């Protein structure tokens, strides 16, 4: 699958079969994350790949449906970098696209993760000064969601946002 095809196909997948994911594929997904654009080339990220069922059992407090994920990637950032959120977001999107290209479902799980950040940092041994931005569950999809996107014609503007009538 080429990059454009994967970008078009990507959707948040929240139902997995429970099948394991080969280590090589998980490495490919994280590799896509570490190759993302990053402000001032700071690369303020670390990625924790969690496949241990006992740890997944704890992390699924954030979202019960992660139970059947083959792995959960915890995205850790150094907030001393001015663009840590942007950098983390770029890395996450790259990983979602890479997962899609490999045929896996994934989801950007930030809203549900932040309330548990301190607890999960302790669980995963993340240093105090770092932030746990997001969990990215990866799994073999049960089905591929069909969710409508805004039409290109509704969001694209050529030259100016709007013509101002004087
Ligand atoms: C910053 C951010 C936070 C998100 N947090 C969550 C979350 O906590 N739980 C969840 O199920 N999905 C979460 N999502 C996924 C969005 O719900 C999803 O991307 C959106 O509904 C569009 O659907 P799509 O990803 O299938 O295109 C998050 C996405 C982003 C970009």
């Amino acid at each position: 699958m080429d990059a454009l095809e994967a970008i078009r196909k990507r959707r948040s997948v929240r139902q997995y079969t429970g099948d394991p994911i080969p280590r090589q594929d998980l490495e490919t997904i994280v590799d896509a994350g570490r190759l993302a654009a990053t402000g001032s080339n700071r690369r303020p990220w670390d990625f924790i790949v969690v496949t241990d069922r006992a740890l997944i059992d704890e992390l699924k407090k954030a979202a019960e449906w992660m139970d059947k994920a083959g792995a959960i990637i915890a995205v850790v950032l150094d907030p001393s970098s001015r663009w840590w959120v942007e950098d983390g977001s770029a890395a996450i999107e790259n990983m979602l696209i890479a997962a899609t290209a490999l045929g896996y479902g994934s989801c950007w799980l930030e809203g549900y993760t932040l309330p548990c950040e301190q607890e999960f940092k302790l669980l995963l041994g993340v240093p105090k000064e770092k932030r746990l931005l997001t969990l990215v569950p990866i799994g073999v999809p049960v089905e591929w969601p069909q969710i409508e996107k805004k039409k290109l014609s509704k969001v694209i503007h050529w030259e100016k946002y709007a013509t101002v009538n004087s």
Side-chain angles (χ1 to χ4, degrees), residues 142-159:
V142 169
E143 59 176 6
W144 208 266
Q146 302 297 324
I147 170 177
E148 276 301 307
K149 293 288 175 183
K150 277 190 179 171
K151 297 264 178 287
L152 178 62
S153 59
K154 294 274 183 214
V155 297
I156 193 167
H157 308 262
W158 295 98
E159 320 314 343

Side-chain angles (χ1 to χ4, degrees), residues 44-45 75 77 83-93 108 133:
W45 43 53
V75 184
L77 275 302
W83 294 285
W84 69 277
V85 175
E86 291 87 339
D87 288 357
S89 301
I92 293 161
E93 185 69 14
W108 184 322
L133 180 63

Side-chain angles (χ1 to χ4, degrees), residues 10-12 14 65 107-112 147 149:
R10 186 215 59 79
R11 292 291 181 276
S12 294
R14 300 181 179 88
W65 50 261
C107 186
W108 184 322
L109 201 92
E110 184 170 329
Y112 295 168
I147 170 177
K149 293 288 175 183

